[in-house]
Amino acid sequence: KETYRSMSPSQFFYEYKEIAGFSNPARSLYQTVRELVENALDATDVYGIKPDISIVIERIPGTNQYRITVEDNGIGINPDYVPNAFGQVLFSSKYKLRQSRGRFGLGVKMAVLYGQITTGKPVEVYTSPIGSKRVYYFKIKIDIEKNKPIILEKASWSKRGNWHGTRVTVTIVGDWSRARSRVHEYIRRTAIVAPYARITMIDPDGNIVYYPRIVDKVPRGPREVKPHPHGVDIELLKQLIKSSKARTLKEFLIEAFQSVGRKTAENFLKEAQLDPNIDPHTLTDEQLEYLARKLREYKRFRAPSADALSPLGPEIIEAGLKSILKPEFVVAVTRKPKAYEGHPFIVEVGIAYGGEIPALDEPLLLRYANKIPLLYDEKSDVAWKVVNPQNFDWKQYLVSFPAPIAVLTHICSTKVPYKGIGKESVADVPEIEHELRMALREAARKLRAYLLEKKREEEAKRR
Amino acid sequence: KETYRSMSPSQFFYEYKEIAGFSNPARSLYQTVRELVENALDATDVYGIKPDISIVIERIPGTNQYRITVEDNGIGINPDYVPNAFGQVLFSSKYKLRQSRGRFGLGVKMAVLYGQITTGKPVEVYTSPIGSKRVYYFKIKIDIEKNKPIILEKASWSKRGNWHGTRVTVTIVGDWSRARSRVHEYIRRTAIVAPYARITMIDPDGNIVYYPRIVDKVPRGPREVKPHPHGVDIELLKQLIKSSKARTLKEFLIEAFQSVGRKTAENFLKEAQLDPNIDPHTLTDEQLEYLARKLREYKRFRAPSADALSPLGPEIIEAGLKSILKPEFVVAVTRKPKAYEGHPFIVEVGIAYGGEIPALDEPLLLRYANKIPLLYDEKSDVAWKVVNPQNFDWKQYLVSFPAPIAVLTHICSTKVPYKGIGKESVADVPEIEHELRMALREAARKLRAYLLEKKREEEAKRR
Ligand SMILES: Nc1ncnc2c1ncn2[C@@H]1O[C@H](COP(=O)(O)OP(=O)(O)OP(=O)(O)O)[C@@H](O)[C@H]1O
Ligand SMILES: Nc1ncnc2c1ncn2[C@@H]1O[C@H](COP(=O)(O)OP(=O)(O)OP(=O)(O)O)[C@@H](O)[C@H]1O
Ligand SMILES: [Mg+2]
Ligand SMILES: [Mg+2]
């Protein structure tokens, strides 16, 4: 007499949309802007395109409905994939080992879904891939039960000129008065670490915010890499073997993984006491468990490649901190690439001190992950755990609170260990926590040198 | 040249298992015990059965693998549904408006998946539904690509005696030395609010922990209810209309919703200027948006029914606090049912003071949601936000820190607003935050009365 049923992924994320950040109209307005802007930046700077992003948020008079449009000059979307990209939950071009803001295949669909259930209105998409001669238009809703797109309208026409990119419009119930400051902060913090982007926003109050491009060069984009043997489990091995044409275990290891050349494969197989010539497709579950365990434990694989990453770099961090905070001193540190569970990551920390920064009871913390500004859940983030004066001995660096100090942290990885699918805070994975602490100490040492020097100069003046 | 793909729900939760609490071997061992115990309790006390739960965790010698077995005397599982219950992600008997610990259709599948990918071993299930004459046995793995169960073995035999219930065994890589204290704390805190349950645990160190049944009566179980009109959106309306045989809008409102009788339906339709006789199956999206908005705004629906809830009650909370903390004073408050977005909820708060409680810098907070103990992410939980001395004026109640004080909070609802699918902290929904604060003040006032009285007695003694 118990009734059992299943849910499609779209039904699941509809039921529990608050877990993706769509908890109330104000927060949903914020999250919608985020999801569209993060997709726009992923379609540009990842490919070396200097982003031109425009964001328009208009209130529909007499209602609490908002039309949000984000347009970019990115790579566009092949029209064959547009319906699923906007109408199928868990559909993505970012399910791969390459740093990007998006990763879940969920973001824009949540915005489409929230619009659909609060206003009944579909998403409208214009897109033209680079090199395409046409512009494509779609009006899409989601069949929430089946997790399939419903194409209400589609059209295309030949393109005049060279425009390429994508323009997305969703209409949702929102609350601008409550969301305003966070949305503005999010866009500003996005612009700070993307000085190579031109960003324009028009908000429901009619205000225009303009962040001009101040750097003419996009940093080198990340490149997709193969998995690293330290990240395996039995399932990943099965997936890799299934799609591999290799006839021997040795060939398979060399072809499927990064950091495994012929010599390394031979040494590993010798040490693990495995036959190099066995056909990987014939391995039993027991042998796979053994192989996975040995791969994870082997110490002599080359570290995971940082080719898949695209850090900000000290120049961008220092320039960004200078422009928003107008400090008297700024320093930034970019650590060498490290890895956790086979995923490469780079930690970067910037410190800004004095100048126009007011004296605060705790450091002003500006968190970033894969270039995304994180504005919520600060106290449960690993960056706060490291920077917190209860855990970091700031006095040793001549900083005692209240003090005029801000810290910027950036974690980039092929897999940022977010605590939730709303991408608001990062879990305290030990390797990452350690790197943050090392980076913070490095930057704090330079701050201390500056403060010592400043003290000396002031004492010299006094005499 | 961009490649797009979709993921099944099992692939998605495999890729991002840390978001469900399966982030490392220690945490995964904790989460596995949780998921199995919460299923066992949901199969018993929800149905008025006095729970007998046994938990065995054994380490497989020479490995870091742990075999975890949880057995209960619950309602069992119909064998037709066992494969999907254990082998299909997003499959559940708890997708309904009735308070239960489970709700996502994910928990046991995550444990099965984690075992499968770390040890290669399947889950083993014995079950016998109440009234069934047979015991059923299954050995199951998950086809992660297709999100379907793989039945490796199945058997059944006729039952001797009256046993009913379920026994689940998973084998995972774990880390008992790191997980030990949390697992013990979780079981202890579970037993504290379930004095009607007999719980036995044998751990890998060979220790036996036994919580006897000290209350002979199970609290009244929750009952499934229909949705409340304040919880609607366009999608919910569409789902309800689709499965409704009602021929008029008025009939539909009465039949589909709780709290809507004939008179209420007539008044609502009059006020919303809608035709009571229109066939709901013919409503356009625009009309549905209007209807949803009007239903949410209408002020005169009866409040959501608390039949769907099963609070702990002050006796259980006080007894539980007395037994673990041995305080000199204890008080508990159970608030009246309230609602947020159509979901009924009840907030309960208990305070324990003095006695064997040590003086602490901040209140010891014991959080519960739908009778589940929450042990992680305290600082991002709404309960901490309310109880935090920075937000609550404890001095007004004659408590100044350090002080020997513990606070138990319990939120029960047809939809607890968890912040993540790992069920570790609750979001600060305004209605719930408000009720927590009211309950805390109510309990703190009784504490203050006790402290005043105690002060008077001490001063009387001194003279
Ligand atoms: N502005 C855009 N330009 C190009 N492609 C886009 C754009 N917006 C969305 N897409 C495509 O649609 C896909 C789905 O987007 P969606 O936001 O749902 O998921 P995601 O970005 O891959 O992951 P996440 O859920 O983390 O945001 C993307 O992977 C991308 O291929
Ligand atoms: N010990 C048990 N006794 C009876 N039924 C069970 C038991 N364990 C699991 N089930 C059934 O299997 C289903 C799936 O369990 P699962 O833990 O995956 O999801 P859930 O409990 O519904 O939700 P959650 O993901 O929040 O735990 C349950 O809904 C229940 O019907
Ligand atoms: Mg996205
Ligand atoms: Mg469960």
Side-chain angles (χ1 to χ4, degrees):
Chain A
K1 23 167 229 67
E2 265 312 301
T3 54
Y4 296 77
R5 54 175 268 241
S6 64
M7 273 198 196
S8 69
S10 42
Q11 283 173 319
F12 181 81
F13 287 109
Y14 157 68
E15 290 286 330
Y16 301 118
K17 51 193 163 301
E18 65 277 0
I19 280 175
F22 287 81
S23 47
N24 57 58
R27 187 75 186 257
S28 300
L29 179 45
Y30 169 83
Q31 198 69 23
T32 296
V33 172
R34 261 195 81 171
E35 297 296 354
L36 269 56
V37 168
E38 287 165 23
N39 283 349
L41 285 165
D42 271 350
T44 47
D45 68 9
V46 168
Y47 302 94
I49 299 173
K50 288 180 234 168
D52 285 340
I53 315 263
S54 83
I55 303 142
V56 178
I57 309 171
E58 331 163 68
R59 188 160 155 265
I60 299 182
T63 74
N64 59 355
Q65 299 188 7
Y66 294 83
R67 188 162 36 234
I68 298 152
T69 299
V70 174
E71 180 172 336
D72 62 68
N73 60 335
I75 57 162
I77 310 166
N78 178 328
D80 295 340
Y81 297 115
V82 168
N84 284 342
F86 290 88
Q88 183 174 325
V89 167
L90 305 189
F91 186 87
S92 171
S93 62
K94 304 167 198 171
Y95 287 149
K96 47 187 65 145
L97 290 169
R98 176 183 72 186
Q99 178 184 326
S100 55
R101 294 161 183 84
R103 61 185 292 209
F104 293 127
L106 190 55
V108 80
K109 274 77 78 178
M110 292 307 303
V112 172
L113 200 138
Y114 193 77
Q116 184 174 320
I117 69 176
T118 58
T119 68
K121 289 170 187 157
V123 65
E124 294 185 86
V125 181
Y126 293 85
T127 192
S128 183
I130 291 183
S132 164
K133 298 198 166 50
R134 302 189 72 74
V135 178
Y136 299 89
Y137 170 76
F138 290 84
K139 217 179 207 177
I140 291 168
K141 277 189 166 176
I142 304 177
D143 180 329
I144 294 179
E145 191 184 340
K146 298 200 177 75
N147 194 27
K148 289 267 164 270
I150 301 170
I151 304 175
L152 299 173
E153 232 182 277
K154 67 186 215 179
S156 74
W157 49 92
S158 47
K159 185 157 72 177
R160 282 178 228 112
N162 283 333
W163 181 73
H164 56 79
T166 306
R167 177 172 147 176
V168 179
T169 301
V170 291
T171 309
I172 65 168
V173 159
D175 184 345
W176 179 247
S177 61
R178 282 206 172 87
R180 177 191 294 119
S181 65
R182 295 281 192 162
V183 171
H184 276 294
E185 184 184 358
Y186 174 83
I187 298 298
R188 182 176 180 224
R189 285 194 39 197
T190 295
I192 280 156
V193 297
Y196 50 79
R198 176 169 65 202
I199 302 176
T200 312
M201 179 162 90
I202 302 175
D203 76 15
D205 304 325
N207 293 321
I208 300 180
V209 188
Y210 177 61
Y211 297 98
R213 179 158 26 250
I214 52 181
V215 160
D216 209 55
K217 182 171 165 306
V218 183
R220 199 211 71 168
R223 245 166 278 148
E224 183 177 359
V225 297
K226 293 178 186 172
H228 189 275
H230 283 171
V232 299
D233 54 49
I234 298 167
E235 176 66 15
L236 180 58
L237 271 184
K238 284 186 175 182
Q239 289 174 12
L240 292 173
I241 288 171
K242 188 171 171 200
S243 50
S244 165
K245 298 200 167 54
R247 303 240 192 83
T248 70
L249 182 53
K250 174 172 154 190
E251 258 185 73
F252 166 73
L253 291 179
I254 296 167
E255 162 223 305
F257 293 106
Q258 57 164 295
S259 308
V260 184
R262 203 175 49 74
K263 212 86 212 65
T264 307
E266 286 167 3
N267 290 337
F268 164 74
L269 289 166
K270 190 144 173 274
E271 188 165 309
Q273 302 179 339
L274 286 162
D275 174 8
N277 296 313
I278 190 172
D279 182 345
H281 299 88
T282 65
L283 291 170
T284 64
D285 274 5
E286 220 170 342
Q287 289 171 310
L288 287 171
E289 184 278 329
Y290 178 81
L291 174 59
R293 181 158 36 93
K294 288 300 173 193
L295 284 167
R296 292 180 80 99
E297 293 171 3
Y298 189 71
K299 298 267 179 287
R300 285 177 288 131
F301 291 123
R302 204 173 54 247
S305 161
D307 283 354
L309 304 182
S310 175
L312 294 170
E315 300 77 16
I316 283 184
I317 295 177
E318 293 184 7
L321 285 172
K322 281 202 195 110
S323 75
I324 21 156
L325 297 174
K326 318 259 190 299
E328 68 189 65
F329 170 83
V330 82
V331 64
V333 166
T334 294
R335 297 279 293 173
K336 291 207 168 17
K338 293 285 184 310
Y340 82 97
E341 297 182 23
H343 282 284
F345 70 89
I346 288 171
V347 161
E348 312 184 84
V349 168
I351 293 181
Y353 183 90
E356 294 187 18
I357 304 174
L360 304 157
D361 290 333
E362 49 187 40
L364 173 66
L365 179 58
L366 308 171
R367 296 169 290 139
Y368 289 85
N370 283 4
K371 305 190 180 177
I372 302 172
L374 309 181
L375 267 58
Y376 286 90
D377 294 346
E378 179 184 80
K379 296 297 187 275
S380 60
D381 193 300
V382 62
W384 174 251
K385 184 178 180 188
V386 170
V387 170
N388 187 350
Q390 296 197 347
N391 300 335
F392 189 80
D393 187 12
W394 285 101
K395 288 206 189 64
Q396 175 183 337
Y397 303 93
L398 307 182
V399 176
S400 39
F401 292 92
I405 187 160
V407 180
L408 184 152
T409 60
H410 181 227
I411 301 160
C412 60
S413 178
T414 46
K415 184 177 183 179
V416 172
Y418 290 113
K419 295 188 86 163
I421 48 176
K423 296 192 198 111
E424 281 300 346
S425 60
V426 181
D428 55 352
V429 165
E431 293 87 335
I432 293 181
E433 182 178 335
H434 174 78
E435 276 300 298
L436 274 168
R437 190 162 292 119
M438 294 295 109
L440 184 62
R441 285 178 188 169
E442 222 181 299
R445 278 194 290 271
K446 301 206 162 87
L447 171 65
R448 175 172 59 196
Y450 167 80
L451 292 175
L452 276 172
E453 184 57 24
K454 178 179 175 182
K455 205 170 174 185
R456 258 175 244 135
E457 292 180 357
E458 291 176 346
E459 291 178 353
K461 279 200 189 134
R462 234 168 283 158
R463 297 167 224 141
Chain B
K1 25 168 226 66
E2 264 312 301
T3 54
Y4 296 76
R5 54 175 268 243
S6 64
M7 273 199 196
S8 69
S10 42
Q11 282 173 320
F12 181 82
F13 287 109
Y14 157 67
E15 288 287 330
Y16 300 119
K17 51 193 164 300
E18 65 278 0
I19 281 177
F22 287 81
S23 46
N24 58 59
R27 188 74 188 258
S28 300
L29 180 45
Y30 168 83
Q31 198 70 23
T32 295
V33 172
R34 264 195 78 173
E35 297 296 353
L36 269 55
V37 168
E38 288 165 23
N39 283 348
L41 286 165
D42 272 349
T44 48
D45 67 10
V46 168
Y47 302 94
I49 299 172
K50 287 180 235 169
D52 285 339
I53 315 260
S54 83
I55 303 144
V56 178
I57 309 172
E58 332 164 66
R59 189 159 154 263
I60 299 181
T63 74
N64 60 354
Q65 299 189 6
Y66 294 82
R67 188 162 37 234
I68 298 152
T69 299
V70 174
E71 180 172 335
D72 62 67
N73 60 337
I75 57 164
I77 310 167
N78 177 329
D80 295 341
Y81 297 115
V82 167
N84 283 343
F86 290 87
Q88 183 175 323
V89 168
L90 305 189
F91 186 86
S92 170
S93 62
K94 303 168 198 170
Y95 287 148
K96 47 185 65 145
L97 289 170
R98 177 183 70 185
Q99 176 184 326
S100 55
R101 295 161 182 84
R103 62 185 291 209
F104 293 127
L106 190 53
V108 80
K109 273 78 79 178
M110 291 310 301
V112 173
L113 200 137
Y114 193 77
Q116 184 172 318
I117 68 177
T118 56
T119 68
K121 289 171 185 152
V123 64
E124 295 185 87
V125 182
Y126 293 85
T127 192
S128 182
I130 290 182
S132 164
K133 298 198 164 49
R134 301 189 71 76
V135 177
Y136 300 89
Y137 170 76
F138 290 84
K139 216 179 209 180
I140 292 169
K141 277 189 167 180
I142 304 177
D143 179 331
I144 294 180
E145 191 184 341
K146 298 199 178 76
N147 194 28
K148 287 265 162 275
I150 302 170
I151 303 174
L152 298 173
E153 234 183 276
K154 64 187 221 182
S156 74
W157 49 92
S158 48
K159 185 158 70 180
R160 284 178 228 112
N162 283 333
W163 181 72
H164 56 79
T166 304
R167 176 173 147 175
V168 179
T169 302
V170 291
T171 309
I172 65 167
V173 159
D175 185 344
W176 178 247
S177 61
R178 283 207 171 85
R180 177 191 293 120
S181 65
R182 295 283 191 159
V183 172
H184 277 294
E185 183 185 359
Y186 174 82
I187 297 300
R188 183 174 179 227
R189 286 195 37 197
T190 294
I192 282 158
V193 297
Y196 50 79
R198 175 169 65 201
I199 301 177
T200 313
M201 179 162 91
I202 302 174
D203 76 15
D205 303 326
N207 293 322
I208 302 180
V209 188
Y210 177 63
Y211 297 97
R213 180 160 23 252
I214 54 180
V215 161
D216 208 55
K217 180 169 167 306
V218 183
R220 198 212 74 169
R223 244 166 279 149
E224 184 178 357
V225 297
K226 293 178 187 173
H228 189 276
H230 284 171
V232 299
D233 54 49
I234 297 167
E235 176 65 16
L236 180 59
L237 272 185
K238 284 185 174 182
Q239 289 175 13
L240 292 172
I241 287 171
K242 190 173 171 196
S243 52
S244 165
K245 300 200 167 54
R247 303 239 193 85
T248 70
L249 182 53
K250 175 172 154 190
E251 258 185 75
F252 166 72
L253 292 179
I254 296 168
E255 162 221 308
F257 292 106
Q258 57 164 297
S259 309
V260 184
R262 203 177 48 76
K263 209 88 209 61
T264 307
E266 286 169 1
N267 290 337
F268 165 75
L269 290 166
K270 189 144 171 274
E271 187 164 312
Q273 300 179 338
L274 286 161
D275 174 8
N277 296 311
I278 190 172
D279 181 347
H281 299 89
T282 66
L283 291 171
T284 63
D285 275 2
E286 222 171 339
Q287 291 170 308
L288 288 170
E289 185 278 331
Y290 178 81
L291 174 60
R293 182 157 36 92
K294 288 299 173 193
L295 285 167
R296 291 179 80 99
E297 294 170 3
Y298 190 70
K299 298 268 180 287
R300 284 175 289 133
F301 291 122
R302 204 172 54 248
S305 162
D307 284 355
L309 303 182
S310 176
L312 295 169
E315 300 79 14
I316 283 184
I317 294 176
E318 293 185 7
L321 285 171
K322 280 201 194 110
S323 74
I324 19 157
L325 297 174
K326 318 261 187 299
E328 67 189 67
F329 169 83
V330 81
V331 65
V333 166
T334 294
R335 299 278 295 172
K336 291 207 165 23
K338 295 284 185 309
Y340 82 98
E341 297 181 20
H343 283 283
F345 70 88
I346 288 172
V347 162
E348 312 185 83
V349 169
I351 293 181
Y353 184 91
E356 294 187 17
I357 302 175
L360 304 156
D361 288 335
E362 48 187 42
L364 172 66
L365 179 58
L366 308 172
R367 296 170 289 138
Y368 290 85
N370 283 3
K371 305 189 180 176
I372 301 172
L374 309 182
L375 269 57
Y376 285 91
D377 293 349
E378 181 185 79
K379 296 297 187 274
S380 58
D381 193 299
V382 61
W384 174 251
K385 185 178 181 188
V386 170
V387 170
N388 187 349
Q390 297 198 346
N391 299 334
F392 189 80
D393 188 11
W394 285 101
K395 288 207 190 64
Q396 177 181 338
Y397 302 93
L398 307 181
V399 177
S400 37
F401 292 92
I405 187 160
V407 180
L408 185 153
T409 59
H410 181 226
I411 301 160
C412 61
S413 179
T414 46
K415 185 178 184 179
V416 172
Y418 290 114
K419 296 187 83 161
I421 48 176
K423 296 190 197 114
E424 283 300 339
S425 60
V426 181
D428 56 351
V429 167
E431 294 87 335
I432 293 181
E433 184 179 332
H434 175 80
E435 277 299 298
L436 274 168
R437 192 162 290 118
M438 294 294 108
L440 185 62
R441 287 178 187 168
E442 222 180 298
R445 279 196 286 273
K446 302 205 160 83
L447 172 64
R448 176 173 59 195
Y450 167 80
L451 291 175
L452 277 173
E453 184 59 23
K454 178 179 177 186
K455 205 171 174 184
R456 259 175 242 132
E457 290 180 2
E458 290 175 347
E459 292 179 352
K461 282 202 186 127
R462 234 170 283 160
R463 296 172 221 139

